[in-house]
């Protein structure tokens, strides 16, 4: 039983380490050459940080993730960046104004 618990703890450590490493890579990738931020990479980054926040308390050997890691803050970030990545809410693209068409002849 102790071997199983040790193996489980070791796997959690590996998973948490992988999640944090992937979040760090996304943090670099999300910064665009134009100085902007890619909403897709940012959304994924915050989702990974949320996953790390959930796992961190059960991995006794893990140091603090190094970012604000309270659940409410991360859920707020995930929601905002999800909307930006999917073009929802305040991030929805402007739609063109409707125009009245008076010529009903089909184009040739």
């Amino acid at each position: 039983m102790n071997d199983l618990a040790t193996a489980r703890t070791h796997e959690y450590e590996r998973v948490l380490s992988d999640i944090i490493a992937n979040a760090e890579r996304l943090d670099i990738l999300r910064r665009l050459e134009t100085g902007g931020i890619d909403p897709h990479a940012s959304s994924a980054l915050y989702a990974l940080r949320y996953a790390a926040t959930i796992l961190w308390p059960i991995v006794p050997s893990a140091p603090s993730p190094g970012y604000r890691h309270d659940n409410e803050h991360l859920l707020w970030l995930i929601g905002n960046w999800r909307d930006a990545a999917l073009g929802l809410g305040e991030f929805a693209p402007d739609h063109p104004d409707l125009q009245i068409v008076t010529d009903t002849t089909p184009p040739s």
Side-chain angles (χ1 to χ4, degrees):
M1 184 69 171
N2 193 21
D3 289 340
L4 181 59
T6 301
R8 187 178 187 83
T9 299
H10 178 67
E11 285 304 308
Y12 272 127
E13 288 170 350
R14 287 182 56 201
V15 167
L16 182 60
S17 177
D18 289 347
I19 289 171
I20 291 171
N22 284 320
E24 289 170 355
R25 284 195 286 278
L26 278 169
D27 194 25
I28 292 168
L29 289 172
R30 74 190 189 110
R31 300 175 195 286
L32 301 173
E33 298 80 18
T34 60
I37 301 291
D38 178 8
H40 294 91
S42 295
S43 185
L45 163 72
Y46 291 120
L48 285 174
R49 284 185 173 180
Y50 181 72
T53 298
I54 297 301
L55 288 178
W56 177 56
I58 63 170
V59 181
S61 62
S64 172
Y67 50 83
R68 184 175 169 189
H69 51 269
D70 58 278
N71 291 343
E72 284 186 41
H73 178 68
L74 288 171
L75 284 172
W76 177 81
L77 287 171
I78 289 168
N80 280 314
W81 285 104
R82 180 209 59 214
D83 288 357
L86 300 177
L88 302 172
E90 67 181 279
F91 301 99
D94 291 332
H95 297 288
D97 295 331
L98 294 177
Q99 297 178 355
I100 297 176
V101 178
T102 57
D103 182 7
T104 58
T105 309
S108 50

